[in-house]
Amino acid sequence: MSEPRPGRRSALVTGGASGIGRALAEALGRRGVAVTLADRQLDLAAQVAEGIRASGGAATAVELDVRDAARFRTVVEELVTREGRLDYLFNNAGIGVSAEIKDYELEDWDDVLDVNLRGVAYGIQAAYPVMVRQGFGHVVNTASMAGFLPVPFAGSYAASKHAVVGLSRTLRIEAETHGVRVSALCPGFIRTPILEGGRYGRLKYRVDPARLQRELERARPMDPSLLAERVLHALDRNRAIIVEPRRWRVLWLLDRLFPAFGHAFGRMLLRRSRRLVAQMQRTGGGTGGGAAP
């Protein structure tokens, strides 16, 4: 996290009502940071904020659709008016559409890119100038291991996360001249609602939700509360790229050193995903949801 300045620190966490965003907000609250949880699901975000306050922290819930640039600016302005500063922006809101690209429609690109990429850009446009004027702050953009590796059944998601990694690396170079830090958070599998589609994502095939859950658990998803603590620890050290769980760093390194490995990994995922979907479609089941790491 950024070097402490006198006074209470503040943070804005998008997608703060559930999953990684909720865990980050709760961990920040335990550190004495005044947290603003921004989410389309205002009622759920308000419950999380209430829990943080009940534990002795400071938290506010606000409604925000990250696709709305004007609303994003208003949320940041109100936060700065209320707290007098903005120390951290966690651009965390994200959705996924799971299907092979041959089965995509235009909305499957638009929905994911609007939230996962435009939402990050709008957050930067709203908060980064404030941090530049202050001379401090930390922008944390949630990408994914899908921002490095080919991930079949998640074309739009992978495209958006590759873009977020590139944006974060570029902004980090520019921002450091202004005293502002930038990091990209690149999780592997984390036990969050997005693994099953989340509130706004979707899987475009009929599957058995229970079977899907069992398959996802085989990947040993990390608990988001553990992820949040490790992320804040990494931010203390100003890490540019944060990969968790740690075992995923091996895949990241192998892909960087041996690009053919990444292609082999992607082919394996494609075979497994096709086989799983085919099996579940033969046995029937309801409409499920899903997302890549």
Side-chain angles (χ1 to χ4, degrees):
M1 302 168 79
S2 300
E3 294 179 4
R5 298 299 196 277
R8 184 172 73 174
R9 294 170 292 173
S10 71
L12 173 61
V13 182
T14 69
S18 63
I20 293 173
R22 173 176 182 165
L24 286 168
E26 291 172 341
L28 288 161
R30 289 191 293 270
R31 287 192 171 205
V33 178
V35 185
T36 297
L37 300 92
D39 204 292
R40 280 193 265 182
Q41 302 177 83
L42 179 58
D43 290 345
L44 187 55
Q47 293 175 22
V48 178
E50 183 178 358
I52 293 172
R53 292 193 297 270
S55 298
T60 302
V62 299
E63 187 171 10
L64 173 65
D65 183 336
V66 297
R67 300 171 299 178
D68 186 339
R71 173 60 181 162
F72 218 139
R73 288 194 300 271
T74 298
V75 167
V76 170
E77 290 168 358
E78 291 175 348
L79 186 159
V80 173
T81 298
R82 183 170 63 250
E83 300 294 336
R85 56 194 282 170
L86 175 59
D87 295 77
Y88 314 111
L89 167 66
F90 288 85
N91 267 322
N92 175 74
I95 64 170
V97 172
S98 291
E100 289 195 53
I101 293 173
K102 68 181 179 63
D103 297 321
Y104 268 30
E105 299 175 43
L106 286 179
E107 66 180 7
D108 298 322
W109 293 103
D110 293 340
D111 290 350
V112 172
L113 295 177
D114 282 350
V115 173
N116 294 6
L117 182 54
R118 288 185 184 274
V120 170
Y122 291 165
I124 290 169
Q125 289 297 120
Y128 178 55
V130 174
M131 294 179 175
V132 170
R133 291 194 296 270
Q134 294 175 159
F136 66 91
H138 205 141
V139 176
V140 185
N141 298 321
T142 298
S144 169
M145 282 299 296
F148 302 121
L149 299 169
V151 185
F153 278 69
S156 56
Y157 185 86
S160 70
K161 297 306 185 178
H162 272 74
V164 169
V165 171
L167 169 58
S168 301
R169 295 182 65 191
T170 299
L171 182 61
R172 181 179 174 92
I173 293 171
E174 295 182 6
E176 63 187 6
T177 64
H178 301 290
V180 178
R181 297 176 173 181
V182 179
S183 301
L185 169 57
C186 301
F189 277 106
I190 310 299
R191 189 174 287 107
T192 72
I194 198 173
L195 287 180
E196 298 174 16
R199 174 66 176 80
Y200 300 102
R202 56 190 174 272
L203 171 59
K204 294 172 70 68
Y205 309 119
R206 292 182 62 83
V207 301
D208 176 0
R211 172 73 182 279
L212 177 63
Q213 181 62 40
R214 289 195 299 271
E215 291 295 326
L216 293 171
E217 286 297 321
R218 291 177 60 186
R220 294 184 294 155
M222 173 184 275
D223 186 84
S225 61
L226 176 57
L227 171 71
E229 291 297 338
R230 290 187 177 180
V231 168
L232 298 189
H233 186 69
L235 295 182
D236 288 337
R237 286 153 178 75
N238 192 25
R239 296 279 174 80
I241 305 291
I242 303 168
V243 175
E244 291 288 349
R246 295 187 179 112
R247 63 182 180 275
W248 286 84
R249 298 175 193 172
V250 176
L251 294 179
W252 179 36
L253 178 61
L254 287 173
D255 183 63
R256 292 165 65 194
L257 294 176
F258 309 105
F261 169 82
H263 289 284
F265 177 78
R267 293 188 190 101
M268 180 272 291
L269 285 180
L270 177 61
R271 290 193 299 270
R272 289 183 58 183
S273 297
R274 281 177 171 172
R275 183 170 61 250
L276 177 62
V277 168
Q279 290 172 350
M280 287 193 286
Q281 287 181 325
R282 284 197 299 270
T283 59
T287 301

